[in-house]
Amino acid sequence: MSVRRLHPNQPKTFAFTPQNSAWAQETIAKYPDGKQASAVIPLLWRAQEQHYGWLPEPAIRVVADMLEMAYIRVYEIATFYTMFQLQPVGKLAHIQVCGTTPCMLRGAQDLVAVCKRKISTQPHILSEDGNFSWEEVECLGVCANAPMVQIWKDTYEDLTPDLLETILNGFASGTPPKAGSQIGRIASSPSAGFTTLTDKTIYAGNSGSNQES
Amino acid sequence: MPRKLIIDGDEIEVDGGTSLLQACELAGREIPRFCYHERLSIAGNCRMCLVQLDGMPKPVASCAMTVNDIRPTRDGSPNVINTRSEVIKKAREGVMEFLLINHPLDCPICDQGGECDLQDQAMVYGTGGSRYEENKRAVDEKYFGPLIKTSMTRCIQCTRCVRFMTEVAGVEELGAVGRGEDMEITTYLKHGIDSELSANVVDLCPVGALTHRPWAYNARPWELHKTESVDVMDGLGSAVHVHTRAREVMRILPRLNEDINEEWISDKTRHVSDGLRTQRLDRPYLRKNGRLEPVSWSEAFEAIVERIRATDSSFIGAIAGDMVGAEEMFALKDLMGRLGVRNIDCRQHGEVFNPTWGRASYVFNPGVAAIDEADAIVLIGTNPRIEAAVLNGRIRKRWRGGGINISVVGEPHELTYPYKFIGSSGPALASMERDGLGDAERPIFIIGPGVYRRPDGEAILSKIARLAKSLGALKTDWNGFAVLHTTAALVAGLDLEFVPKIGALKTSEIVSGAAEVIYNLGADEIEVQSDAFVIYQGTHGDRGAQRADVILPGAAYTEKIATFVNTEGRAQRTSRAVFPPGDAREDWTIIRALSECLNAKLPYDNIQQLRDAMFRAAPVLKDVGMMSCTDNSDIDRLLRLDGKVGIEPLTSIVMDFYLSNPIARASSIMAELSALSQANKTPVAAE
Ligand code: SF4
Ligand code: FES
Ligand code: FES
């Protein structure tokens, strides 16, 4: 994990859009009086979504003021959780490559190599055109379809370096592929068709007979 | 519920709420710790305090577990704790090894060396070498303001500093950002800490991550001589240790006194020490042809004698300042009495107090520690955050305990706790009388200089006394009438009745032409407006000395054994940590020597004889360290005072906290802090 610091170039101000402000007020109202600070993570997350996928410093202050928290407290939270991006991310896609054991065994490092080659040699650094960035993250919970990457809110699974390149090209040309497994299987069912329970007769028609014990 | 424990074979009974660490201490075991501190919340993150608890698979952090948390044994026998076993030794060695993975090996250039918890504990639990070959982590320097030097590579993330600032000082400016190995302690975007108690974090830091910037690389703890004393920077009289090397005061640190300052001191108390070295008066001076020239003691005395002889006693006046001890005030009063001079005053800021009202009318009757028991506090004409920072911390501590109403009459300041603002001027007191204080049983009315330094102070005091009485602050077992003094000398002066009797001149009259000769004993906050002949006895080349015709160099509070009475009316004594510089002398001896030249010899040859005489005049000064009982009925006398209360707001008159006395004005650190606090006050233009 890299050292998490605020980016040197920050926008001067930040303000929630009217819709997001209204949403924020609703969110704050969900918590009992005096516990508004509980809304800090949803608000920061919304600020990040609004601000091109990364959290700028003025947003930390805006959220702190909304929740009557000290700036340093919100700053602590923003630097603690790695899902908050503290530096600009690619305009079209920010690739989060899972590097945890199952994905690693299934070739995550080859995906990282693609990112290094196509985006930038270092994580969290924008590609030259500013459209892409990448980072390595911990397990995203799709281990059965390792290796995988997450882009925005979607996961792209069962990858190979070639498939990842295709995905990147898709984002670059404005036609991102469908999320999920990239080799056509449904969820994590076997990739070469079903291998067990293929004999339909064992469950066709006579249900319940085996359920004694 | 009390429970029995067996700690290393010794049986002990402790309350269920005590932590295992405290229980082990009660049993006489020393438990190493970094993050635990009695006055802060429990963090349990350093793991140094491990002990072995029978029935637990692994060692437990003793600071974070209370006796109640232990599962009782099956047969009801006491639980067994082991603090000395081989397992524990190994466990602590393991913790230490982890802590040292990233801790630099820079003890020889670290200011904490010699008083570092990590160093000390490594002597017991450290292993000789390291098994780690990786690079140590390096941490960027941080900026915590002019008082705190950081070296964050040394930080072991105990978070004591964060907890102190958040909990005790009430200024949420420090935090731990990042996570895991990258966790760092910092302020928000290099903002310096804006608190009057900030330097206490340096004492709390168990390693050399936070050290005192002003004293950086000046001294090693083992070459310092330590003297127990009390502080005179405000009216509290906090207990301090004065650390000296040869003839110099190197630093001032807090000393435990549960009744007053617990274990904290304000930044001013601590860092004023450089002011004790600069601008000092170290020889007598005499004004010749308009210029002050150094002279001998006898020449200075001759000039004084000549002038005093030539002046009618009704045209002579004496004023005592904010940091003079009771001994010299007593000697000066005695001398003036022998010369027939009645114009004496110790109230240089025009305080309205009068000793004839009785002692309860001018002291902090409940005592500082009683704040812990109060259920309502009314702050009138005071900003305790700067006038008595440590006391403000205590109010905050009480507020954190819950169940207390705090109200403010006067200027609304940021006090680090919420309060109800009643109004800014006198009439607000009437509305308070109407509204009451709910069902408060033990209210305290803290009365600051914004009340008693005003010309209509008597009338306001009278109103407050009535309010206090009607709202239940004056009961047989509770006196909540609390005058907060901001200067160290005034209470003793009032106890000694160093005030003009009826018909005699008070300070403002003495300095504005009614006196031809003025004996100024360390009063630097007033301007002598006439062309009177001024004898200044004091320590610093400050306002008083500049206007003087004769200067007699005296001793500062670290250089004499003198009695000071704090705002509670508690007599305390300073100790001599160093000798006064050059020809300067202890103050009472100067007055004693002068009395002989004036043929009015004071009948005491040593400090003990002087004190005996002083105790006869003011017996309350005798009980050093004690708060003597006051009489509630004194407050009734205030009820009879009258006068009109002006409508001006009760603003605190302490202009600049960091520059309120000559020692502070001589200190370059105080100048820096003052500039910083002014800058913080001016609102920054919005971006
Ligand atoms: S700076 Fe000192 S007190 Fe603060 S967390 Fe680090 S080691 Fe602890
Ligand atoms: S290990 Fe990659 S998703 Fe779980
Ligand atoms: S002292 Fe117990 S964990 Fe730090």
Side-chain angles (χ1 to χ4, degrees), chain B residues 46-184:
Chain B
C46 74
R47 315 315 279 182
M48 196 61 199
C49 62
L50 296 173
V51 298
Q52 210 177 0
L53 177 60
D54 264 16
M56 291 289 262
K58 290 193 285 183
V60 297
S62 61
C63 70
M65 189 175 205
T66 65
V67 174
N68 277 337
D69 298 335
I70 310 177
R71 167 139 28 111
T73 50
R74 285 237 173 102
D75 57 359
S77 60
N79 289 88
V80 176
I81 292 176
N82 209 320
T83 70
R84 291 173 175 168
S85 63
E86 202 41 43
V87 174
I88 284 306
K89 183 152 188 294
K90 284 207 77 160
R92 290 180 187 161
E93 278 172 4
V95 170
M96 180 59 86
E97 195 173 3
F98 271 146
L99 285 174
L100 292 178
I101 290 176
N102 274 323
H103 194 81
L105 284 172
D106 59 356
C107 302
I109 54 152
C110 174
D111 249 354
Q112 190 86 352
E115 49 187 3
C116 174
D117 291 355
L118 191 64
Q119 214 176 34
D120 294 349
Q121 291 177 34
M123 295 303 289
V124 186
Y125 298 104
T127 46
S130 171
R131 287 184 281 172
Y132 294 91
E133 286 167 1
E134 293 78 6
N135 287 335
K136 290 181 185 250
R137 81 176 185 152
V139 182
D140 295 344
E141 274 315 294
K142 301 285 183 288
Y143 178 71
F144 283 11
L147 296 182
I148 304 169
K149 185 175 163 61
T150 62
S151 186
M152 297 318 270
T153 305
R154 299 179 187 141
C155 173
I156 57 168
Q157 287 92 21
C158 69
T159 69
R160 275 186 187 183
C161 53
V162 177
R163 282 176 283 147
F164 175 85
M165 288 316 294
T166 311
E167 293 163 15
V168 180
V171 177
E172 280 192 272
E173 289 189 355
L174 279 187
V177 303
R179 62 195 293 179
E181 191 197 22
D182 295 316
M183 180 167 142
E184 293 182 2

